[in-house]
Amino acid sequence: MTSSHTDCHYCLQSLRGRKYALREENAYCVACYDSLFANPCEECKQPIECDSKDLAYKDRHWHERCFKCAKCSRSLVEKPFAAKDEVLLCTECYSDEYSSKCFHCQKTIMPGSRKMEFKGSSWHESCFVCQYCQQPLGTKPLITKDNENYCVPCFEKQFAHHCYSCKKVITSGGVTYHDQPWHKECFVCAGCKTQLSGQGFISKDEYPYCVDCFSKLYAKKCAACKKPVTALGSAKFISFEERQWHGECFNCAKCSVSLVGRGFLTRQDDVLCHECGSA
């Protein structure tokens, strides 16, 4: 009577005094095991016999002696390695061929080390720091100026403009008035506080006013219609003896003919054309 470990499960030859290998609780002589189950080596294409160490990576197999760098031929057994297009390389060869160079120190970023990427360039994590305080930036918000990176607080301390009105930092946009920076929301009419960014305005005593407020507060009134006379409100205006008229209002008080560009006469507060004034 024989047991499963006394005869080869495939060729049925006795295993007494012979080497054998087990697979799924069945015993095989070495020759049968190698012919049935040995994996072919990726390097030499020969079967990896049962008495050899089988090194596997991503469903591929190597003899221990064949598991080496494709470029420098150094053994990769129990050493870190990288794969590129199914070719195995030691970390040094991989770095020489494929690894990124740090934008800051220009040294290779080794495989397995943490790499920071920003605007198409790569950094060692230890090199990706604020130019001013030298603290790691990691994934924090940052601002770039002259190819140098800054954390937001340091950039604001060094370079940011402060609003002339509220004194706070202007992070984007803004308005310049009298060579001073303003937030758009802070640049308002000194009278009604309406935002003036993108709007017409008039300056008075270094303060900006919307046209309506300036007209109400400072513009002289038309002697005819009593409405404010401003350069923005009318294409032409007439001034005579401290009185002003809109161009369209400067008419003869009697016949209403336009006096713009014509001679005229005055009678008390009225202006008259020559015909009416001579009548």
Side-chain angles (χ1 to χ4, degrees), residues 3-261:
S3 71
S4 59
H5 286 189
T6 57
D7 295 331
C8 173
H9 184 72
Y10 185 73
C11 70
L12 303 181
Q13 295 295 313
S14 174
L15 297 176
R16 295 183 184 276
R18 300 171 61 190
K19 291 182 179 180
Y20 64 90
L22 292 175
R23 184 181 178 88
E24 298 177 355
E25 298 185 357
N26 294 316
Y28 296 85
C29 66
V30 171
C32 289
Y33 183 90
D34 288 344
S35 65
L36 293 171
F37 306 116
N39 294 305
C41 175
E42 287 286 326
E43 176 66 18
C44 69
K45 310 305 179 184
Q46 298 300 311
I48 303 173
E49 302 88 350
C50 64
D51 58 351
S52 299
K53 185 178 289 186
D54 185 333
L55 301 181
Y57 174 71
K58 289 188 175 180
D59 296 326
R60 296 189 294 158
H61 301 264
W62 288 262
H63 290 107
E64 186 174 12
R65 65 181 181 275
C66 296
F67 194 62
K68 55 190 178 182
C69 173
K71 185 176 181 182
C72 69
S73 299
R74 284 183 290 184
S75 174
L76 299 177
V77 177
E78 297 183 358
K79 292 181 180 179
F81 64 91
K84 179 69 175 178
D85 299 328
E86 297 189 357
V87 175
L88 302 185
L89 298 167
C90 64
T91 53
E92 291 83 357
C93 290
Y94 183 88
S95 298
D96 290 342
E97 291 289 328
Y98 304 109
S99 289
S100 303
K101 296 291 190 297
C102 176
F103 183 83
H104 178 73
C105 70
Q106 296 303 309
K107 295 181 179 179
T108 298
I109 301 174
M110 298 296 288
S113 61
R114 190 171 183 187
K115 178 173 68 174
M116 309 303 296
E117 294 189 351
F118 179 65
K119 289 187 175 180
S121 297
S122 302
W123 280 262
H124 291 110
E125 185 177 21
S126 58
C127 293
F128 194 59
V129 298
C130 171
Q131 177 67 17
Y132 184 74
C133 69
Q134 297 300 306
Q135 293 300 307
L137 290 170
T139 57
K140 297 176 184 177
L142 61 92
I143 300 173
T144 300
K145 179 178 174 61
D146 299 330
N147 288 328
E148 299 289 356
N149 300 319
Y150 298 85
C151 63
V152 174
C154 286
F155 182 87
E156 291 178 350
K157 290 177 185 177
Q158 296 298 304
F159 305 110
H161 294 296
H162 290 75
C163 177
Y164 182 78
S165 176
C166 70
K167 312 304 180 186
K168 295 180 179 179
V169 170
I170 300 174
T171 56
S172 63
V175 175
T176 299
Y177 173 67
H178 282 307
D179 295 326
Q180 297 292 343
W182 302 62
H183 289 114
K184 288 183 178 180
E185 58 270 22
C186 294
F187 188 61
V188 297
C189 172
C192 66
K193 307 304 179 185
T194 300
Q195 287 190 24
L196 295 176
S197 178
Q199 306 296 322
F201 65 91
I202 302 172
S203 179
K204 173 71 174 175
D205 299 329
E206 296 188 357
Y207 291 99
Y209 292 85
C210 66
V211 175
D212 288 342
C213 285
F214 183 86
S215 298
K216 291 176 183 177
L217 294 171
Y218 300 108
K220 294 181 179 181
K221 303 298 189 292
C222 175
C225 70
K226 309 306 179 186
K227 294 180 180 180
V229 176
T230 69
L232 293 176
S234 175
K236 295 181 180 179
F237 65 95
I238 312 300
S239 180
F240 176 72
E241 293 183 349
E242 298 185 357
R243 290 187 293 168
Q244 286 78 32
W245 291 262
H246 295 111
E248 62 270 20
C249 295
F250 191 55
N251 303 322
C252 173
K254 189 173 182 181
C255 71
S256 299
V257 67
S258 174
L259 298 176
V260 177

